[in-house]
Amino acid sequence: MSPKPLSRIYAFLCFLFFMLSCSSTQPTLEAANPVSISWFARKHGFVMKTKGAIDNLDKNDISMSFEANSRKLIFNGTLVWLNDPVKTWRGRRVLSQRDIDKTIMPLLDDSLLLGRRGYKTVVLDAGHGGSDNGATGRRNVQEKRVTLDIAKRTRTILEKHGINVRMTRSEDKSMTLNNRTELLATWKPDVFVSIHLNAAQSTTASGIETHITPPRGCAITANSKVFDRDLVQYQNNIYDEGNMSLGYLIQRELIRHLKLVDRGLRRSRFFVTRNAPCPAVLVECGFLSNPAEEEKFLAAEFRQSAAEAIAAGIIAYFDETKSRATHRVRK
Ligand SMILES: [Zn+2]
């Protein structure tokens, strides 16, 4: 072969290698494609009104509010963190395609919810236990005791609704995260909820967070950058849509019942949720490091309200998946 074709082959191989390396380090490039908010509004029949940095979309009983350069979406009054910030692209405000697919559509269309799971068994996971107290407040309220109490109260409510409930622990005992995940693998539940209370350096940090696994390739809410570890596909990622719906409904109910600050439905890759074989959330029901919130958790009525909120979120999720299941049969 003459040198010229060889150099062409070499150039082609370099190009091929470049393309392959791009596709392995940037698997989400296509999924992050921009979609104009006004186009999305028209396509789905929303009336859109823009006021400064805010785009409001309204239709029947659904309202969504997007903010320029922000990952905050207010969906029917509840804060939901987007995977990507709203950006301006070619003079228009845009969302990422993956936020349309993985954040917004699961909230608008319950046909995406059922996935490969049913609606029979819930596993409740009381965070910490035994030698691991979790967070401890100034008045010595221990996270492990509050989470177990809320989990037991939630179980009672769900069982009254005919839902099977299993608990990763029902007494004050030590459990590793692996122990909890192994139980999930054995029990194969339809929903998993891990119950926690928050703590921060600042005593003024306050409010409620619900965490779900972000889709593969997306940053967690606490970071704006994507790291290599964010590119891993976890077992729980096949339930991205179910996670979204379950997480939203539980966060909505926690805010309604407990009336604390709404810190939003957030994305985190926690061990127990990312390895769950079903839609899964981790709730942080309030801050034990905040004296006013610690005080609230001393009252049985407040812990009962937290349990009612978690149960109401799970029941609302099952109602949506069930109505879809019947709908499918009718079709
Ligand atoms: Zn905890």
Side-chain angles (χ1 to χ4, degrees):
M1 251 185 256
S2 68
K4 214 174 179 187
L6 258 183
S7 68
R8 274 191 195 151
I9 289 168
Y10 178 71
F12 173 72
L13 286 175
C14 284
F15 173 71
L16 197 67
F17 178 74
F18 172 71
M19 292 306 286
L20 283 172
S21 63
C22 278
S23 65
S24 67
T25 54
Q26 299 182 328
T28 60
L29 199 62
E30 196 180 321
N33 275 346
V35 176
S36 125
I37 296 178
S38 57
W39 179 85
F40 176 84
R42 273 198 308 280
K43 186 182 175 198
H44 293 277
F46 284 91
V47 174
M48 178 170 156
K49 285 182 186 152
T50 300
K51 209 175 177 187
I54 307 291
D55 287 328
N56 286 310
L57 274 61
D58 285 287
K59 177 173 79 170
N60 303 328
D61 53 352
I62 299 169
S63 78
M64 292 191 282
S65 178
F66 298 94
E67 189 181 336
N69 305 314
S70 165
R71 285 192 280 175
K72 288 181 179 180
L73 156 65
I74 308 294
F75 187 89
N76 280 357
T78 300
L79 172 58
V80 173
W81 289 85
L82 297 167
N83 293 302
D84 301 295
V86 170
K87 290 180 188 156
T88 304
W89 190 71
R90 296 184 181 172
R92 291 178 178 204
R93 283 203 195 126
V94 294
L95 297 164
S96 66
Q97 182 64 50
R98 61 189 179 188
D99 266 320
I100 304 268
D101 296 340
K102 302 285 189 175
T103 307
I104 296 165
M105 291 316 292
L107 295 175
L108 297 180
D109 181 1
D110 62 11
S111 70
L112 298 168
L113 298 187
L114 196 60
R116 273 160 267 189
R117 293 246 61 92
Y119 37 85
K120 290 186 190 116
T121 306
V122 172
V123 170
L124 299 174
D125 175 46
H128 312 278
S131 58
D132 171 13
N133 294 336
T136 303
R138 278 187 187 173
R139 294 184 61 181
N140 219 25
V141 174
Q142 292 177 331
E143 181 182 357
K144 66 170 183 179
R145 295 187 190 281
V146 179
T147 59
L148 182 57
D149 183 74
I150 294 174
K152 284 180 173 173
R153 290 170 187 273
T154 309
R155 175 177 62 184
T156 304
I157 301 164
L158 291 174
E159 284 178 345
K160 278 185 192 154
H161 280 79
I163 295 168
N164 301 326
V165 180
R166 286 182 183 258
M167 312 245 300
T168 53
R169 68 178 179 99
S170 46
E171 60 199 62
D172 183 17
K173 67 169 184 181
S174 296
M175 286 191 82
T176 64
L177 297 178
N178 252 324
N179 292 154
R180 297 169 205 256
T181 301
E182 281 162 12
L183 288 175
L184 287 180
T186 309
W187 292 339
K188 298 183 174 55
D190 302 304
V191 155
F192 173 70
V193 178
S194 185
I195 301 170
H196 287 254
L197 271 72
N198 226 331
Q201 290 286 332
S202 156
T203 55
T204 57
S206 66
I208 296 164
E209 299 174 349
T210 298
H211 297 257
I212 56 171
T213 311
R216 176 179 175 238
C218 294
I220 59 171
T221 302
N223 282 328
S224 50
K225 276 191 193 157
V226 176
F227 296 91
D228 281 352
R229 60 177 181 267
D230 300 328
L231 304 180
V232 177
Q233 168 87 8
Y234 288 100
Q235 174 171 214
N236 183 244
N237 278 124
I238 59 172
Y239 304 105
D240 281 344
E241 292 83 4
N243 290 337
M244 188 65 218
S245 175
L246 177 68
Y248 163 73
L249 292 166
I250 290 181
Q251 177 71 6
R252 180 187 78 183
E253 293 302 323
L254 281 166
I255 299 299
R256 277 185 187 170
H257 283 74
L258 301 183
K259 299 182 171 54
L260 298 181
V261 171
D262 180 3
R263 297 170 65 94
L265 173 58
R266 305 167 80 92
R267 323 283 183 143
S268 303
R269 287 187 180 83
F270 291 133
F271 186 89
V272 287
T273 42
R274 76 185 188 218
N275 291 307
C278 62
V281 308
L282 184 146
V283 292
E284 299 273 10
C285 304
F287 280 79
L288 278 184
S289 49
N290 179 316
E293 291 191 1
E294 180 189 20
E295 179 84 28
K296 286 179 186 289
F297 284 103
L298 280 170
E301 302 83 60
F302 193 77
R303 300 194 301 272
Q304 180 66 21
S305 291
E308 281 167 9
I310 294 166
I314 294 169
I315 291 164
Y317 173 78
F318 280 160
D319 283 348
E320 290 191 9
T321 55
K322 267 184 191 170
S323 69
R324 178 57 192 171
T326 341
H327 187 59
R328 265 190 193 159
V329 172
R330 263 193 263 123
K331 262 188 170 177

